[in-house]
Amino acid sequence: MNAQTRSVLCGNQQCALDILRVAVPLSSSGGSSSLSYASKNRYLGYPQFRLAHSARRFEGQVLPEARTRRSASSHAAGATRNDLVTGPRFAEPVSDIALGRLPLPDVLRSYAIMTISSSPVLLATSTKLLQGMIDSKSRIFDVDSNLLLRWLLKITFYNQFCAGEDGREVKASLQGLRRQGYEGVILEYANEIMGDLGNEVENQARAAQDIEAWKDGLLKTVAVTEAGDWVGLKWSGMGAEAMRLLRAGEPPSPQMAKAMTDVCDAAVEKQVRLLPAAEPQIANAAVEDWTLDLARKYNKLVPGQAIIYNTIQCYLKSVFENLSKHLSHARQHDYVLGVKLVRGAYLATEPRHLIWDSKEKTDMAYDEAANYLLADEKTSGLVNVMIASHNRASVDKVRQLRQTQVDSGEALVPVAYAQLKGMADELSLELLQAARTAQQGKSGTADRELKTYKCVSWGSTRSCLEFLLRRAAENKDAMSRTIDTKRAMGHEIRRRLMKPLFG
């Protein structure tokens, strides 16, 4: 890739330079960063990280082409990575057929929620209300005590993003998503630490109860899924003691380790995969270590398939170093690495020096990481990837890359696409439509392997408050995407109103 192409990715040359400096975290002298408890033994001597087309010296404004898995014949045919980043928009505009799969109540609610989310004043008010429900000790703001408040929250934000409070509601929601044509679902158990840890960490009896409650909730989550689905979880959901250990960079307690293993065993038996979520950086190093410990065991059971994935946040400057550590660990222990690629969910609370200083740098880091995982020869046969993104440009680039790989006869890295229920529904439905069109022989072959999932959380209205608060924060940080969804839903409402009149 040349310098001009790189500049197109992020809008200016300085952005590319900044990404390049971080993409090679280790000096030629073999320096290394500090690692948490397990990492100190695991990652000694791991190779210097090199992106597919970023880890080259940026000299003379020229970058040599990357070594990828593309065959020589594809070069002869003129296929280059420049086609990926500068080619035309890959996705088709959302069609009436695609949005027509949404039930009318969902369309109306989405339009209302996106109207709120696209207004800074209304969104700020809603966010303060959600935060007040979490922090307040008043019965007025307690969703368990205030039935009117609970009802309002349930018919709006809760139903937009969540599946239900019990097995009956969850099953009905999941069946509705399957009817829309999704490959499957990502069902998350919404049990999180809410507020300060306080003195609960000193209460060992409460700690044991929290662990058992977490395990019971996850086993119920696995039970309601079907083969091929995913289950999302948070290690901190095991309670205040778990969060204390994560923050301290310590391993899980024996009871926690047993609960984690029980959940993994149940997932393997049900043929579902697990997606531990990222957490704030004060705890996330240990989150990744706990996950890698389990991946070392479970990601060897099914040839070529990861059972448990780590979540990589691309708004962090450490994204490339993290990927390097994880890939090295997978090679060393001979298992398939599962990577869920996200931009990040804790922008408002993370220390600013850890995060890229602009959205365009985060976008470029996401695209660079995706390209490396999917196209570099060093990752062949080593990874499964989930592109968890509401960003149309990033999804388009991945689809176009895979089309280029199919055209040149390359093997494809297993990929799943995922968006949250109630967010970027127009993008999700476009992907479903593209897959159907490809399977009917009406478009290129890459989309035949296109698998799209919707992520949805379940739990009591109160237990989902932290989850809902993060959704509000994400909508604030992606206002333009929220406006796009609002427009798409508005168009669909008008289409349905006009259809009886004009046919």
Side-chain angles (χ1 to χ4, degrees):
M1 177 182 291
N2 57 36
Q4 181 179 5
T5 299
R6 179 166 301 284
S7 180
V8 171
L9 269 171
C10 64
N12 63 74
Q13 200 65 47
Q14 185 58 48
C15 173
L17 281 164
D18 292 341
I19 298 290
L20 281 170
R21 292 190 184 102
V22 179
V24 188
L26 301 183
S27 68
S28 58
S29 61
S32 62
S33 60
S34 59
L35 302 173
S36 56
Y37 83 97
S39 302
K40 293 176 182 177
N41 292 327
R42 289 183 183 145
Y43 301 131
L44 291 177
Y46 71 86
Q48 182 171 341
F49 183 80
R50 298 186 182 280
L51 284 173
H53 52 259
S54 289
R56 277 81 181 160
R57 296 292 182 182
F58 200 89
E59 299 173 352
Q61 304 294 305
V62 175
L63 287 172
E65 287 295 322
R67 271 197 314 166
T68 71
R69 296 194 301 276
R70 181 170 294 110
S71 65
S73 61
S74 67
H75 287 290
T80 69
R81 294 188 68 86
N82 292 6
D83 298 330
L84 167 64
V85 295
T86 63
R89 174 170 158 153
F90 192 88
E92 300 174 357
V94 64
S95 70
D96 294 342
I97 295 176
L99 283 178
R101 299 181 183 278
L102 283 178
L104 181 58
D106 291 7
V107 176
L108 295 173
R109 187 182 60 245
S110 291
Y111 183 77
I113 295 296
M114 295 306 141
T115 298
I116 294 173
S117 300
S118 59
S119 166
V121 174
L122 293 176
L123 183 59
T125 302
S126 300
T127 301
K128 288 180 181 179
L129 180 60
L130 288 171
Q131 189 65 60
M133 294 178 194
I134 294 173
D135 298 336
S136 177
K137 305 300 182 182
S138 169
R139 291 176 62 87
I140 296 176
F141 287 99
D142 185 349
V143 294
D144 293 329
S145 301
N146 188 328
L147 297 183
L148 176 60
L149 181 63
R150 178 178 177 177
W151 176 78
L152 288 172
L153 181 64
K154 186 81 178 280
I155 66 171
T156 54
F157 287 95
Y158 183 94
N159 284 347
Q160 180 73 4
F161 302 114
C162 301
E165 298 191 66
D166 55 36
R168 179 185 60 82
E169 292 182 355
V170 172
K171 287 181 180 179
S173 294
L174 300 190
Q175 288 172 0
L177 290 171
R178 296 185 201 283
R179 283 195 298 270
Q180 292 175 34
Y182 290 101
E183 187 76 20
V185 297
I186 304 167
L187 186 60
E188 294 187 340
Y189 178 50
N191 188 34
E192 305 185 21
I193 294 296
M194 300 172 66
D196 295 331
L197 298 182
N199 294 321
E200 281 190 277
V201 295
E202 299 174 5
N203 189 333
Q204 295 303 313
R206 174 61 184 272
Q209 293 173 5
D210 287 343
I211 296 168
E212 289 305 307
W214 176 87
K215 182 178 78 170
D216 181 64
L218 263 298
L219 293 178
K220 289 179 179 177
T221 306
V222 172
V224 80
T225 58
E226 297 181 5
D229 285 343
W230 312 66
V231 167
L233 56 91
K234 299 191 76 170
W235 299 135
S236 63
M238 284 186 279
E241 177 66 9
M243 179 57 84
R244 184 189 70 79
L245 293 174
L246 290 168
R247 289 181 175 181
E250 297 179 10
S253 69
Q255 185 183 2
M256 292 175 194
K258 176 64 166 54
M260 294 159 69
T261 299
D262 288 346
V263 170
C264 289
D265 289 342
V268 170
E269 183 177 356
K270 195 68 179 286
Q271 298 180 46
V272 303
R273 287 155 288 183
L274 299 175
L275 294 170
E279 311 233 15
Q281 283 304 286
I282 192 172
N284 203 55
V287 166
E288 293 180 351
D289 284 338
W290 290 16
T291 304
L292 288 175
D293 274 339
L294 293 168
R296 180 177 176 178
K297 173 182 177 181
Y298 288 95
N299 288 6
K300 295 180 178 180
L301 299 181
V302 181
Q305 180 176 305
I307 301 297
I308 186 166
Y309 285 51
N310 241 319
T311 300
I312 299 294
Q313 300 183 102
C314 294
Y315 69 180
L316 296 170
K317 294 178 181 178
S318 60
V319 53
F320 304 124
E321 183 178 359
N322 289 345
L323 276 176
S324 176
K325 296 172 185 176
H326 295 184
L327 287 165
S328 178
H329 187 260
R331 291 190 190 97
Q332 180 183 352
H333 298 288
D334 192 28
Y335 66 84
V336 177
L337 180 68
V339 176
K340 175 187 174 186
L341 208 60
V342 303
R343 277 169 168 76
Y346 304 97
L347 184 63
T349 58
E350 297 285 25
R352 293 304 306 172
H353 70 280
L354 299 179
I355 300 172
W356 298 113
D357 56 16
S358 69
K359 181 181 181 301
E360 62 182 359
K361 290 179 182 178
T362 296
D363 290 343
M364 182 178 178
Y366 190 99
D367 295 340
E368 293 279 6
N371 288 345
Y372 176 72
L373 290 169
L374 301 179
D376 193 276
E377 61 186 8
K378 300 184 186 70
T379 65
S380 180
L382 185 64
V383 296
N384 292 180
V385 179
M386 173 172 281
I387 300 297
S389 177
H390 301 140
N391 186 291
R392 182 186 301 277
S394 292
V395 171
D396 287 354
K397 289 173 183 177
V398 170
R399 289 177 63 198
Q400 188 163 344
L401 168 60
R402 290 172 73 76
Q403 184 62 57
T404 301
Q405 290 175 316
V406 167
D407 291 343
S408 61
E410 294 181 44
L412 297 178
V413 168
V415 167
Y417 299 84
Q419 293 83 39
L420 290 161
K421 176 182 180 293
M423 295 179 70
D425 286 339
E426 72 283 6
L427 174 58
S428 302
L429 292 167
E430 287 176 18
L431 295 175
L432 293 182
Q433 181 177 318
R436 287 192 182 89
T437 302
Q439 290 162 7
Q440 294 169 359
K442 297 179 181 178
S443 74
T445 56
D447 282 342
R448 292 180 185 273
E449 304 299 323
L450 201 159
K451 301 180 185 300
T452 306
Y453 299 80
K454 269 297 187 182
C455 178
V456 58
S457 186
W458 81 276
S460 70
T461 307
R462 179 168 183 79
S463 68
C464 289
L465 286 175
E466 288 279 3
F467 175 85
L468 294 174
L469 188 63
R470 287 201 302 278
R471 303 295 76 80
E474 287 180 12
N475 282 333
K476 177 182 178 181
D477 296 329
M479 192 72 71
S480 62
R481 185 198 67 231
T482 302
I483 292 173
D484 288 343
T485 301
K486 174 188 171 184
R487 289 172 178 166
M489 296 303 162
H491 170 79
E492 179 62 15
I493 292 171
R494 290 190 295 272
R495 185 188 72 83
R496 296 193 189 191
L497 289 175
M498 298 298 288
K499 186 175 181 179
L501 297 177
F502 300 100

